[in-house]
Amino acid sequence: MASGDPERGTKNRGYNTANVHYVETSDKLWTSWLIPIFVVANIAVFIVVMYVNNCPKNNLDFYGKCVAKFLGRLSFQPLKENPLFGPSSSTLEKMGALEWNKVVHEHQGWRLITSMWLHAGVIHLLANMLSLIFIGIRLEQQFGFVRVGIIYLLSGFGGSILSSLFIQRNISVGASGALFGLLGAMLSELLTNWTIYANKIAALMTLVIIIAINLAVGILPHVDNFAHIGGFLTGFLLGFVILLRPQFGWHESRHLPADTRVKSRHTAYQYVLLLVAVVLLIVG
């Protein structure tokens, strides 16, 4: 009888030298569907925001004319106001952007969640969604929708919390906190499952480059690196807890003769990292 979860897709056994990252697994791969839904949801929310924004009606021409007027009420604010091809700040605030005063003094804590589904413009949305597809689908295929969904949502929430603590005069929007949570989880997963990876340095350098590029996005309007850092730290710690894999060779050792010493499922350092991560998550 085949091992693994019946909801998963095709099986991938043995070594995989074509993949710079993962080299051994006896688990089946999941079919990725949650990450595509997140992508569609973010795009749909952006369209709704632009519809509510209605630049032709609400623009007062202080910064110039609406961009792409052929889109009608979906046209963008003047580039002097929003260079990312998106709505006005007032529309983003109305639709649930993260704003410290409203969260703290007006008790609108729901903004900690809604802000992660909003984007400042087409460029912001495109950058985040391409990164989400590139990173999220791979993680969901390997670890399933439950664990990846938990990391995504909690990291977005963690990013919003840190952002609201440090950004008190501007609004903040974007899925970057959740995205950085997935990056953080990828890094902790690489570290805690070190024995099952080939080309470890190449995998580590790839992650570092991706993280650096996304941090550069923090200089864009309405996007802040505090959300990135908060999301990254949340995902990094969660990765140690819920992305734990059996050590290299454990699957094969289970099928050895009865008198053969079988490898333990996890190494001591994996348990140490898990314990430290749990403590930090609780304290944090």
Side-chain angles (χ1 to χ4, degrees):
M1 184 174 180
S3 61
D5 195 295
E7 292 184 63
R8 300 185 180 182
T10 57
K11 181 166 286 191
N12 178 17
R13 290 183 177 273
Y15 298 93
N16 182 3
T17 55
N19 190 329
V20 71
H21 301 299
Y22 192 46
V23 298
E24 180 193 31
T25 177
S26 64
D27 293 330
K28 297 176 181 179
L29 292 179
W30 291 79
T31 299
S32 177
W33 60 267
L34 184 62
I35 293 300
I37 286 179
F38 282 163
V39 172
V40 171
N42 277 278
I43 294 174
V45 169
F46 181 75
I47 293 174
V48 171
V49 169
M50 293 308 304
Y51 184 84
V52 172
N53 184 68
N54 195 1
C55 181
K57 179 181 178 181
N58 299 320
N59 183 39
L60 301 178
D61 292 337
F62 290 146
Y63 299 97
K65 302 295 183 180
C66 298
V67 178
K69 286 186 177 181
F70 63 89
L71 294 175
R73 65 183 296 157
L74 297 180
S75 58
F76 311 119
Q77 293 298 119
L79 294 183
K80 288 185 179 180
E81 179 181 0
N82 187 342
L84 300 180
F85 298 95
S88 65
S89 296
S90 60
T91 298
L92 289 172
E93 185 175 345
K94 181 195 303 182
M95 297 298 290
L98 186 61
E99 206 275 313
W100 180 82
N101 185 65
K102 291 186 179 297
V103 172
V104 175
H105 297 295
E106 299 183 26
H107 308 292
Q108 297 180 7
W110 48 270
R111 290 179 179 271
L112 295 170
I113 299 175
T114 56
S115 60
M116 63 184 284
W117 300 98
L118 300 173
H119 287 84
V122 173
I123 296 176
H124 186 201
L125 176 69
L126 185 62
N128 275 352
M129 294 305 100
L130 288 177
S131 298
L132 178 57
I133 291 172
F134 179 72
I135 297 167
I137 287 181
R138 171 186 170 266
L139 278 177
E140 187 180 357
Q141 287 175 338
Q142 293 187 0
F143 295 101
F145 67 93
V146 174
R147 285 185 279 185
V148 171
I150 289 173
I151 292 173
Y152 183 88
L153 296 174
L154 290 184
S155 296
F157 183 71
S160 294
I161 290 178
L162 191 65
S163 177
S164 64
L165 292 176
F166 289 93
I167 305 297
Q168 301 184 0
R169 295 184 178 181
N170 298 310
I171 65 172
S172 176
V173 296
S176 301
L179 175 61
F180 263 79
L182 295 182
L183 286 172
M186 287 180 68
L187 180 58
S188 58
E189 191 267 328
L190 171 63
L191 295 176
T192 194
N193 301 320
W194 191 255
T195 62
I196 65 173
Y197 278 82
N199 302 322
K200 298 175 175 62
I201 301 302
L204 186 59
M205 289 304 298
T206 300
L207 278 177
V208 170
I209 292 173
I210 294 174
I211 292 169
I213 292 174
N214 281 275
L215 278 174
V217 179
I219 64 175
L220 298 176
H222 309 315
V223 186
D224 66 89
N225 275 326
F226 289 110
H228 294 171
I229 295 170
F232 180 85
L233 292 176
T234 303
F236 183 69
L237 295 176
L238 285 172
F240 287 120
V241 178
I242 64 179
L243 298 185
L244 207 61
R245 291 184 188 271
Q247 65 170 314
F248 181 83
W250 177 78
H251 290 289
E252 286 73 13
S253 67
R254 292 181 302 168
H255 305 293
L256 296 175
D259 58 344
T260 304
R261 184 174 180 271
V262 178
K263 281 189 173 184
S264 62
R265 182 180 178 90
H266 301 293
T267 62
Y269 83 86
Q270 285 179 305
Y271 289 119
V272 171
L273 290 174
L274 185 151
L275 180 61
V276 172
V278 170
V279 171
L280 290 176
L281 282 170
I282 294 174
V283 173

